[in-house]
Amino acid sequence: KPDDGFYRLGLTDHEKHSAFVARVSEAFAQEHAEATNANLGTAIISSEHLQLRLTSDEMVERVACFLAGFFTSIEVIIYLRPQADFTVSIASTASLLGTKIDSEWFDDETKIESHLDYNELVHRWEKAFGGSNVKLISYKRAPSLVDMLIDRFGVDRAGTSNIPNLNTALSVEQIALNNAVQIPQFNDDHALNRNRSIPYSLLPKGDRLSIGLPTAQRIQNRFVDSNRELATRRDDIDFDDLTPDWSKYDQPSNLHLLDQQCL
């Protein structure tokens, strides 16, 4: 399914896409062969796009078929956090990719609902890989994927270096700046990111984006029923795991600042 990622890679027709698929497949096979020759027994593939970009059964099935050619056993790990929290988190990433983030974006169900119905999401991966091969992890209880993997595989922490987290959220002023300097390309859904040259580290950090309690509750209320259904049918996630800590939304909304004409 074409998306903005295709355009950033220059994949503007089926021929270019097919050539890209062939290159990626060949590179993956080569890397797998090198790892096998080095007697490495486990591969870890981590990408948020597996959740955000693969929105149909067919797309996830393609992943399963691709991986089946390389691995004898596969476990799918899905991190889940309350939808209101997740929406605030991805606002920065979406802004950096050229999306206009404002109050309308937070209220537009079509922008976020396709990948935040966790019951439907988990079912897609269960269908492709088998329910027993899918493991759900609560972000509220275990927010660090790296720590989980270190513990899972018994990695000696003494032999590792501490890598700082560079995926920090943009401030409300920085998102407003992105909104003001956007240069739409192709169409509204496939805007190319033109903001990478902004030196965020040299700018004042500004205030944290706050959507306010009413907006957070509106977002979360869309998923109460599906969250409850998922928690009922799975024994590795609780309904409370998918419920926000509402005290985080005590601050009044500052979404109005995102419409500043700050050019």
Side-chain angles (χ1 to χ4, degrees), residues 177-190:
L177 176 60
N178 276 349
N179 286 345
V181 300
Q182 277 191 61
I183 305 174
Q185 299 288 323
F186 302 106
N187 57 51
D188 290 341
D189 293 327
H190 302 304

Side-chain angles (χ1 to χ4, degrees), residues 2 15 35 56 80 87 112 138 164 169 172 174 193 200 244 257 262:
E15 184 176 316
S56 71
L80 298 177
T87 302
I112 60 176
S138 164
V172 65
Q174 290 169 336
N193 174 25
Y200 296 103
L257 298 178
C262 54

